[in-house]
C-alpha cells in the first residue's frame, strides 16, 4: 500500500473562470442538476482481497511498495517532527479541545462574499466556546471525551443547523458508487448514508455550510490505476480536472477556494490523489483513513481522521460484535497479519513465537486455527496489537473495539480517529515504534484496575464506531459528519462588509 513514484506531467491549462459575484450577491442554481455524461466504461472487477486467518489484509500492487510518494513528489513534504501516534490533534485554529481561544495556526482563506450560512457558523462557534457545563449526561459517557460539554453543544448545533449540498456532477463508477464491503468500506458507507440523508442534505447550495464531493478513492484505484505503471498520476490528473470543472461551473468553490468543501476517502492513496490541485490539497476538509501528519498532506486541525472499518456484509454492517469478559481473557497480546510496512517485521522479530503471553504471528498455524481462529483470538485477548501497515492506518483498531479488546496502536505520526472529540487514553494504549522491543514490559506495567477500566471503556465507545443501515444518533456516520462540521466551524471568520 505504498504510494507511487514518478513525475507528474505538465498541468493542462485550467478553464477560464467566471468573475466572482459581488459581496452579498444571491446566487441561485437550478434545484436539479443533470449529471455529466459518463467518462468511463463499466467498472473493472475489484481485486480479490487476501485475508490472513481472518485478519483484515489486502494485497498491494507489488510495483508500488518500494516507491513512496515522498520520493517522487518532494514538494509535498514539509518539516514535521516525528513522534508516536497522536492522541490529540489541534482541534481548530481558534478553539482548543477545551473550547479555549488560541491563535490560528496559519492565515485562513476569507470568503469572497458572506452568506447566511456563514453567520450561522459564526453563531455556532461562539455557542461552542461558551458551552454550558455538562454533568451526568445519560446519553454520553464523559470519560470517553476530551471535553463532553464542548462535544455535546457542538453536536446539538450540528443537528439543528448543518446543511450539506452534494454535487450531482460526476459519472459512475468514480462518483456515487459506494463500495460497502472490505477494509475501505468507510468511504462507501458514508457516501451511501449521506446521499440518502433527509436531515442534513439540501438541494439549494445557497443554504449550505458544507459541500460534499461524492467520489470514491477506492473506485479511483479500481478504474484508473494502470497495473505496472508505477504511478498514481492518472488518479491525480482526474481529480484536478474534476475540481477545475466544479470551480468553472459553479461559484461555490471559488468563494472560499474550497475551504467549505469536503471529501471522504479511506483508501490509502486518497491523500496522494490531491497532489496536482493545490486548493484541493491545502484548503478542503479531507476525511482520510491515512491520517499521517508526516507527509505534508493531512493537515492537523483542518482534516479529519476517518476510522477504517472492515465490513464483511453490506446487509448486516453490525455483526459478530463483542467478546469475552475481562476475567476470561487469557491471552495478554495478539497480532496476526502480513508483513506490510516497517513496523510489523520488527514486531515479529522480537515477539513472534517467542513468548506464550505474546501471540504474535505472521499466519496463525493451522493446528491452532482448528481450535481458535483469528476472531476468537481477538475476543480472548486483553490487548490487540494494531501496528501500521504500508500506511499509518489499520482496520484492526476498530476491529479490536468491536471485539472489546483494548487496542495497542503502533504508528508514529498517526492522528487517531475522532481525536477532536474522543480521549483515546481512556480506552487504548499508544506505543511508539521504537518501543516495540519493550512491548510486553509496557503492557505488564499497566495495573489490572487500569486495564479493567480501559476494557470497560472500549465497550462503551463501541457505539461511536458502528455503522447502521439507518443512522443512529452518535454512531460512526454522525461522528464523521460531526468532525467535518466541527472543523468547518473552527475555520469560519467574519467577512468584513
Amino acid at each position: 500500500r505504498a504510494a507511487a513514484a514518478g513525475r507528474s506531467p505538465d498541468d493542462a491549462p485550467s478553464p477560464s473562470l467566471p468573475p466572482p459575484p459581488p459581496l452579498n450577491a444571491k446566487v441561485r442554481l437550478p434545484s436539479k442538476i443533470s449529471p455529466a455524461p459518463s467518462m468511463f466504461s463499466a467498472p473493472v472487477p475489484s481485486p480479490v482481497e487476501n485475508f490472513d486467518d481472518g485478519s483484515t489484509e489486502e494485497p498491494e500492487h507489488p510495483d508500488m511498495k518500494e516507491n513512496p510518494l515522498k520520493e517522487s513528489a518532494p514538494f509535498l513534504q514539509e518539516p514535521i517532527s516525528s513522534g508516536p501516534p497522536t492522541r490529540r490533534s489541534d482541534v481548530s485554529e481558534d478553539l482548543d479541545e477545551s473550547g479555549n481561544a488560541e491563535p490560528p495556526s496559519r492565515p485562513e482563506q476569507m470568503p469572497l462574499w458572506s452568506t447566511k450560512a456563514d453567520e450561522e457558523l459564526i453563531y455556532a462557534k461562539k455557542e461552542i466556546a461558551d458551552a454550558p457545563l455538562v454533568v451526568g449526561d445519560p446519553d454520553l459517557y464523559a470519560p470517553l471525551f476530551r471535553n463532553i460539554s464542548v462535544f455535546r453543544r457542538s453536536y446539538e448545533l450540528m443537528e439543528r443547523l448543518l446543511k450539506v449540498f452534494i454535487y450531482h456532477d460526476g459519472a459512475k463508477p468514480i462518483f456515487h458508487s459506494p463500495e460497502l464491503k472490505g477494509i475501505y468500506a468507510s468511504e462507501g458507507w458514508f457516501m451511501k448514508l449521506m446521499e440518502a440523508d433527509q436531515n442534513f442534505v439540501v438541494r439549494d447550495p445557497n443554504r449550505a455550510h458544507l459541500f460534499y464531493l461524492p467520489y470514491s478513492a477506492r473506485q479511483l484505484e479500481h478504474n484508473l490505476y494502470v497495473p505496472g505503471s508505477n504511478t498514481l498520476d492518472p488518479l491525480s490528473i482526474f481529480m484536478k480536472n474534476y475540481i477545475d470543472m466544479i470551480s468553472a461551473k459553479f461559484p461555490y468553490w471559488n468563494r472560499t477556494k474550497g475551504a467549505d468543501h469536503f471529501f471522504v476517502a479511506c483508501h490509502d492513496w486518497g491523500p496522494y490523489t490531491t497532489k496536482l490541485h493545490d486548493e484541493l490539497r491545502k484548503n478542503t476538509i479531507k476525511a482520510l483513513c491515512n491520517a499521517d501528519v508526516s507527509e505534508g498532506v493531512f493537515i492537523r486541525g483542518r482534516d479529519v481522521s476517518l476510522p477504517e472499518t472492515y465490513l464483511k456484509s453490506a446487509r448486516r454492517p453490525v455483526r459478530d460484535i463483542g467478546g469475552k469478559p475481562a476475567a476470561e481473557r487469557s491471552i495478554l497480546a495478539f497480532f496476526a497479519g502480513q508483513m506490510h510496512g516497517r513496523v510489523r517485521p520488527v514486531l515479529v522479530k522480537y515477539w513472534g513465537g517467542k513468548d506464550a503471553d505474546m501471540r504474535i504471528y505472521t499466519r496463525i498455524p493451522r493446528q491452532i486455527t482448528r481450535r481458535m481462529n483469528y476472531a476468537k483470538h481477538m475476543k480472548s485477548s486483553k490487548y490487540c496489537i494494531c501496528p501500521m501497515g504500508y500506511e499509518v492506518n489499520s482496520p484492526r483498531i476498530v476491529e479490536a473495539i468491536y471485539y472489546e479488546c483494548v487496542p495497542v496502536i503502533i504508528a508514529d505520526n498517526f492522528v487517531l480517529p475522532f481525536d477532536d472529540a474522543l480521549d483515546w487514553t481512556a480506552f487504548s494504549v499508544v506505543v511508539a515504534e521504537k518501543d516495540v522491543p519493550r512491548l510486553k514490559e509496557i503492557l505488564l506495567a499497566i495495573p489490572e484496575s487500569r486495564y479493567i477500566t480501559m476494557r470497560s471503556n472500549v465497550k462503551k465507545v463501541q457505539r461511536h464506531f458502528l455503522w447502521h443501515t439507518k443512522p443512529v444518533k452518535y454512531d460512526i456516520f454522525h461522528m464523521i459528519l460531526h468532525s467535518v462540521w466541527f472543523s468547518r466551524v473552527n475555520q469560519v471568520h467574519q467577512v468584513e462588509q
Side-chain angles (χ1 to χ4, degrees):
R1 291 194 279 183
R7 295 184 179 179
S8 303
D10 294 336
D11 293 346
S14 301
S16 59
L17 303 180
L23 293 177
N24 298 320
K26 293 184 177 180
V27 183
R28 298 285 181 186
L29 292 184
S31 60
K32 184 174 182 180
I33 303 173
S34 300
S38 176
M39 299 170 58
F40 304 99
S41 59
V44 299
S46 303
V48 177
E49 294 179 333
N50 175 26
F51 300 108
D52 186 271
D53 298 318
S55 64
T56 49
E57 300 286 4
E58 180 182 276
E60 186 55 30
H61 305 292
D63 56 316
M64 305 292 279
K65 292 181 183 178
E66 304 302 326
N67 296 279
L69 179 72
K70 51 190 167 186
E71 295 179 3
S72 64
F75 65 93
L76 288 183
Q77 299 182 65
E78 298 177 8
I80 299 177
S81 60
S82 61
T86 308
R87 298 177 190 271
R88 297 187 174 187
S89 61
D90 296 327
V91 176
S92 73
E93 296 174 353
D94 293 307
L95 299 177
D96 62 16
E97 65 274 11
S98 300
N100 300 317
E102 61 179 24
S105 59
R106 64 185 182 87
E108 185 55 57
Q109 175 64 42
M110 298 295 289
L112 294 180
W113 71 91
S114 64
T115 66
K116 182 180 178 182
D118 290 329
E119 296 173 1
E120 291 172 340
L121 289 170
I122 292 167
Y123 163 77
K125 188 172 186 177
K126 293 177 180 177
E127 287 290 303
I128 294 169
D130 297 329
L133 183 65
V134 172
V135 178
D137 188 309
D139 293 329
L140 296 171
Y141 186 58
L144 300 178
F145 293 88
R146 295 170 60 181
N147 188 317
I148 191 173
S149 302
V150 166
F151 173 76
R152 193 177 78 168
R153 186 60 180 141
S154 177
Y155 193 98
E156 289 171 347
L157 291 164
M158 177 190 76
E159 287 186 310
R160 179 155 61 92
L161 298 176
L162 177 60
K163 301 300 177 189
V164 178
F165 177 76
I166 304 175
Y167 286 103
H168 294 211
D169 298 72
K172 295 181 178 182
I174 306 298
F175 300 88
H176 315 288
S177 301
E179 188 166 316
L180 303 179
K181 295 193 299 182
I183 65 174
Y184 302 125
S186 289
E187 64 181 48
W189 271 91
F190 182 86
M191 181 188 297
K192 169 185 168 66
L193 297 177
M194 190 80 257
E195 293 198 321
D197 182 83
Q198 297 181 355
N199 298 318
F200 299 108
V201 174
V202 290
R203 298 179 65 85
D204 179 5
N206 295 289
R207 297 176 57 199
H209 306 90
L210 289 164
F211 294 77
Y212 175 41
L213 305 169
Y215 70 89
S216 166
R218 179 60 158 165
Q219 294 287 12
L220 278 175
E221 186 245 347
H222 278 176
N223 293 276
L224 298 184
Y225 175 71
V226 179
S229 66
N230 200 30
T231 178
L232 298 185
D233 285 346
L235 287 68
S236 303
I237 292 169
F238 180 95
M239 289 313 304
K240 179 185 184 302
N241 291 340
Y242 170 66
I243 298 302
D244 285 345
M245 181 272 291
I246 289 292
S247 62
K249 186 174 181 179
F250 307 107
Y252 302 103
W253 179 279
N254 300 315
R255 189 182 81 92
T256 63
K257 302 297 183 184
D260 53 1
H261 288 57
F262 76 100
F263 67 89
V264 176
C266 195
H267 193 278
D268 290 349
W269 295 350
Y272 312 134
T273 62
T274 67
K275 71 175 184 176
L276 293 184
H277 199 291
D278 285 346
E279 291 174 357
L280 176 65
R281 190 177 77 253
K282 295 178 180 179
N283 297 344
T284 54
I285 300 172
K286 303 182 289 292
L288 302 170
C289 287
N290 188 2
D292 186 342
V293 295
S294 71
E295 295 180 339
V297 181
F298 187 92
I299 302 173
R300 300 176 67 175
R302 176 188 300 277
D303 295 331
V304 171
S305 180
L306 178 69
E308 186 171 2
T309 56
Y310 166 52
L311 299 184
K312 298 179 182 179
S313 170
R315 292 186 176 182
R316 296 175 54 204
V318 180
R319 57 184 295 185
D320 202 25
I321 303 297
K324 293 184 178 180
E328 297 178 19
R329 291 178 177 258
S330 58
I331 302 170
L332 176 64
F334 167 70
F335 167 82
Q338 299 180 37
M339 293 296 97
H340 294 170
R342 63 179 182 262
V343 174
R344 299 182 188 185
V346 178
L347 180 67
V348 170
K349 173 185 175 182
Y350 281 94
W351 299 109
K354 296 180 180 179
D355 192 311
D357 293 330
M358 306 288 286
R359 306 287 181 89
I360 309 298
Y361 307 100
T362 54
R363 179 181 293 274
I364 305 175
R366 185 177 299 275
Q367 62 269 27
I368 296 178
T369 58
R370 289 171 182 162
R371 294 180 286 105
M372 183 180 291
N373 63 15
Y374 179 88
K376 288 181 179 179
H377 270 85
M378 294 196 86
K379 293 184 175 190
S380 303
S381 298
K382 296 176 67 174
Y383 298 99
C384 288
I385 312 302
C386 306
M388 64 179 288
Y390 290 118
E391 302 291 351
V392 293
N393 44 302
S394 169
R396 283 177 175 80
I397 297 173
V398 176
E399 190 175 39
I401 291 173
Y402 285 177
Y403 293 146
E404 298 170 11
C405 180
V406 176
V408 178
I409 303 161
I410 311 175
D412 290 359
N413 304 308
F414 180 34
V415 178
L416 298 174
F418 306 146
D419 198 54
D420 56 322
L422 298 178
D423 179 5
W424 280 80
T425 64
F427 54 89
S428 72
V429 178
V430 170
V431 175
E433 293 175 21
K434 65 180 179 61
D435 290 331
V436 168
R438 300 178 49 243
L439 185 55
K440 184 176 182 180
E441 173 189 346
I442 291 170
L443 297 180
L444 289 178
I446 299 172
E448 184 68 14
S449 59
R450 173 64 181 160
Y451 161 72
I452 292 173
T453 298
M454 283 194 294
R455 193 265 173 186
S456 175
N457 289 344
V458 166
K459 191 169 184 176
K460 291 183 173 69
V461 82
Q462 198 178 76
R463 63 185 292 213
H464 302 301
F465 291 89
L466 297 179
W467 292 105
H468 300 281
T469 53
K470 293 184 178 180
V472 175
K473 188 170 184 174
Y474 300 130
D475 69 358
I476 190 170
F477 170 76
H478 287 100
M479 292 293 288
I480 294 168
L481 192 60
H482 174 265
S483 288
V484 176
W485 150 263
F486 194 53
S487 173
R488 181 60 192 144
V489 166
N490 282 306
Q491 294 175 42
V492 73
H493 292 272
Q494 181 71 53
V495 178
E496 295 183 4
Q497 304 298 332

